[in-house]
Amino acid sequence: MKKIWTAGLASVMVVGLLAGCGSDKTDDTKTTTDTNASTDATSNTSTTDDTKKNDPVNLRLYTYGTEEAYNWKKTLAAYQDSHPGVTIELVQLSEKGDTQEATKKLDLAAASSEQIDVLMFSDAAAYAQRVALGMAAPLDEYIAKDGYKVEEDYKVDTHLNGKVYALPGKFNPWYVLLNKDHLDEAGLAVPTDWTWDEYADYAKKLTKGEGASKRYGTYFHGPQNGGWMEYLKLKMENQPQGSEFLKADGSSNLADPNFKATLELRVKMEKEDKSSVPYTDMISQKLAYRNQFFNQSASMLTIGSWMNTEIGGTDKVPLTFHVAVAPFPKNNASDPTGLTPVTTDYVAVSDTSKHKEEAYQFVRWYTTEGQVVQGKNIPAWNGVKSDQVASIIDTILSGTKNPELVDKASLVDTLVKSKASQIIAPASYQAEVYKAINEEYEKLILEKQDIDTTVANSIKRVDEIIAANKK
């Protein structure tokens, strides 16, 4: 194990860089509400028949999740009550839920050969990299025994190289937040299924005024310094496959027409329609997406559903208007509805665990009915029905200042129909790829080069990065 970790230090450092790009988003999933979620959900989980009652088992769960955000005491107590002989020891890696700090501590624990039975990863990059380092055990044997398919039972397919090493916990799809008062003013309905062309049309119609007091139709946060790269993949991320800059085999995916189409969309909205907050303003004024939306400087915000805990308003960022939610837009009207970028918890069994079957049983329970018991997030499990989603949303919104201003029906409808595209294991040089593409985009949006040159330069630089890393 130590040899593997020594050889993999470079990869771990890259994962740290990638986590840094998205750590703010992960931390944004924190919830401050108490919950009394229903526990009557049915599950296909293995039962206590597989655990010898006379042979107590203690499982150590390593997590970045805080008590406030994950309701661990109630959740773990529920599991232990229903599985006599099994105890779950919580190892909290960061008191403030900092995923970067937690990842570093998890790496050190694994390198030190500490007992780890269940571990959680906060993003696809961390999941894929640590699977490559041998930290997680394959779960396919247990899944086959339980008789289900991950891609059918969950909204997130966690297969990597044909195997499953983790099951998804919470489900945070991206969506569009809408100022419903602005929609009403413009005579626009809340979209339930729309395209990027329609999104651009909405943004244009919602834009109002000039100068410092101008209200923009939309705000796209980034990319900035190689982070928030989701905003340069808008027309790639709603595809079943090929949603990343790199393909599954590690080759470049930048020749995908949807990459160029995303750049065209960004330029059109910012430069031609002038309906999107200028990139120069974002950088020079250090704009924050929450303030842009909640201060009503922008009418629409494409963002992740970690915002569920905030859309009803908080002490720090109050809500003074009606807000609705729409699904992530499609490229074409005929495309499937609901495909969107998704963040989740990847819950895995440690490859060094001496109780792999018991650890798997907990992982399966936690990612199914355990998510309902926890009551803090929308589960990735498809066994949760629409009415249960509505109940969970009620609980989440009850922790906000003005839940009555939220169009709950549009929020629930969007969450229920959302699903993730295929996970592509990030390359060890992913951060270099992000940096190169970000730099070429900045030249484009600052009008130093055109779209075709931007695409050509991006392809060239990424191909060079790939070649250099194959040596």
Side-chain angles (χ1 to χ4, degrees):
M1 180 70 181
K2 289 183 180 179
K3 289 182 180 179
I4 293 174
W5 274 89
T6 301
L9 280 177
S11 296
V12 172
M13 290 176 68
V14 170
V15 173
L17 287 171
L18 293 172
C21 294
S23 60
D24 288 341
K25 292 175 285 183
T26 305
D27 292 343
D28 280 337
T29 61
K30 292 182 182 178
T31 309
T32 56
T33 58
D34 291 325
T35 179
N36 292 305
S38 169
T39 60
D40 60 356
T42 58
S43 171
N44 291 325
T45 58
S46 301
T47 64
T48 53
D49 292 340
D50 296 318
T51 304
K52 297 179 181 180
K53 294 182 179 180
N54 296 325
D55 187 14
V57 172
N58 180 64
L59 301 175
R60 303 189 84 210
L61 164 62
Y62 281 62
T63 179
Y64 45 81
T66 63
E67 173 62 28
E68 179 183 62
Y70 282 78
N71 206 8
W72 287 121
K73 291 178 182 178
K74 177 182 177 181
T75 306
L76 300 184
Y79 185 77
Q80 291 170 165
D81 287 346
S82 61
H83 293 72
V86 178
T87 56
I88 310 294
E89 180 184 348
L90 188 69
V91 181
Q92 212 152 353
L93 296 168
S94 172
E95 292 184 2
K96 56 183 182 291
D98 185 323
T99 56
Q100 289 178 270
E101 176 190 5
T103 298
K104 291 176 183 177
K105 289 183 177 179
L106 177 62
D107 291 347
L108 289 172
S112 301
S113 300
E114 290 185 19
Q115 180 196 336
I116 305 174
D117 297 291
V118 179
L119 58 164
M120 292 171 61
F121 306 116
S122 64
D123 57 77
Y127 168 48
Q129 290 287 347
R130 282 157 181 78
V131 165
L133 291 171
M135 283 185 65
L139 305 180
D140 303 83
E141 176 186 348
Y142 307 115
I143 291 170
K145 182 179 178 182
D146 276 356
Y148 67 92
K149 294 181 178 179
V150 170
E151 63 271 27
E152 295 176 358
D153 247 31
Y154 297 91
K155 291 183 173 67
V156 181
D157 185 351
T158 54
H159 277 86
L160 281 176
N161 302 318
K163 292 186 178 182
V164 176
Y165 296 89
L167 297 179
K170 68 188 178 189
F171 180 67
N172 278 345
W174 278 52
Y175 53 28
V176 180
L177 294 181
L178 306 152
N179 185 316
K180 194 171 183 302
D181 293 349
H182 291 176
L183 291 184
D184 293 342
E185 176 190 283
L188 299 171
V190 175
T192 57
D193 187 20
W194 58 342
T195 66
W196 280 114
D197 286 343
E198 291 170 320
Y199 182 99
D201 183 59
Y202 265 56
K204 194 172 181 179
K205 291 176 179 177
L206 290 166
T207 299
K208 188 176 182 180
E210 294 293 340
S213 61
K214 180 176 180 177
R215 185 185 81 196
Y216 289 90
T218 191
Y219 180 85
F220 291 121
H221 189 62
Q224 296 166 6
N225 302 318
W228 293 92
M229 297 300 285
E230 292 89 348
Y231 293 101
L232 292 188
K233 298 183 292 181
L234 295 173
K235 289 197 169 188
M236 300 172 73
E237 292 168 316
N238 55 18
Q239 301 301 299
Q241 297 177 326
S243 61
E244 283 288 346
F245 296 129
L246 298 178
K247 297 178 182 178
D249 62 4
S251 62
S252 172
N253 193 34
L254 297 182
D256 184 334
N258 288 324
F259 173 57
K260 180 179 179 180
T262 298
L263 300 181
E264 291 172 335
L265 175 72
R266 293 294 307 271
V267 170
K268 177 183 184 296
M269 294 183 69
E270 179 172 331
K271 303 299 184 181
E272 298 175 25
D273 298 346
K274 301 187 185 302
S275 61
S276 177
V277 177
Y279 185 73
T280 52
D281 288 0
M282 292 183 211
I283 302 300
S284 63
Q285 300 176 33
K286 298 181 180 179
L287 299 179
Y289 65 83
R290 286 180 180 81
N291 293 339
Q292 287 294 295
F293 182 70
F294 286 102
N295 290 347
Q296 303 194 63
S297 298
S299 301
M300 299 192 296
L301 175 66
T302 304
I303 200 70
S305 58
W306 57 79
M307 292 298 293
N308 287 347
T309 60
E310 301 178 43
I311 59 176
T314 63
D315 287 331
K316 189 174 182 180
V317 187
L319 176 65
T320 59
F321 56 91
H322 292 87
V323 62
V325 181
F328 197 76
K330 308 185 295 187
N331 296 348
N332 306 294
S334 59
D335 290 347
T337 301
L339 282 167
T340 179
V342 167
T343 57
T344 188
D345 294 320
Y346 297 87
V347 191
V349 173
S350 172
D351 193 58
T352 60
S353 174
K354 296 180 180 178
H355 305 287
K356 288 186 176 65
E357 184 166 357
E358 292 87 351
Y360 162 76
Q361 290 169 14
F362 169 75
V363 168
R364 174 61 171 162
W365 177 89
Y366 173 73
T367 59
T368 54
E369 62 184 274
Q371 289 293 292
V372 181
V373 172
Q374 198 169 61
K376 287 290 189 179
N377 292 285
I378 303 301
W381 181 42
N382 282 322
V384 174
K385 306 306 178 185
S386 297
D387 58 337
Q388 290 174 293
V389 172
S391 175
I392 294 171
I393 287 297
D394 279 338
T395 301
I396 293 173
L397 291 179
S398 69
T400 64
K401 292 295 183 180
N402 295 101
E404 74 281 358
L405 295 178
V406 178
D407 181 353
K408 191 184 81 170
S410 68
L411 173 57
V412 172
D413 179 66
T414 295
L415 293 171
V416 169
K417 67 175 54 167
S418 296
K419 49 187 175 291
S421 55
Q422 179 191 31
I423 294 173
I424 297 176
S428 60
Y429 45 85
Q430 194 94 6
E432 296 176 67
V433 170
Y434 284 174
K435 183 175 182 292
I437 295 173
N438 185 86
E439 288 173 352
E440 294 304 319
Y441 170 75
E442 287 195 342
K443 295 174 189 175
L444 168 67
I445 209 65
L446 297 178
E447 301 180 335
K448 296 180 180 179
Q449 65 187 20
D450 60 22
I451 290 176
D452 287 336
T453 303
T454 301
V455 173
N457 287 351
S458 297
I459 291 174
K460 180 176 182 292
R461 291 183 64 180
V462 169
D463 282 344
E464 289 172 348
I465 291 169
I466 294 170
N469 281 276
K470 285 183 177 180
K471 293 178 181 179

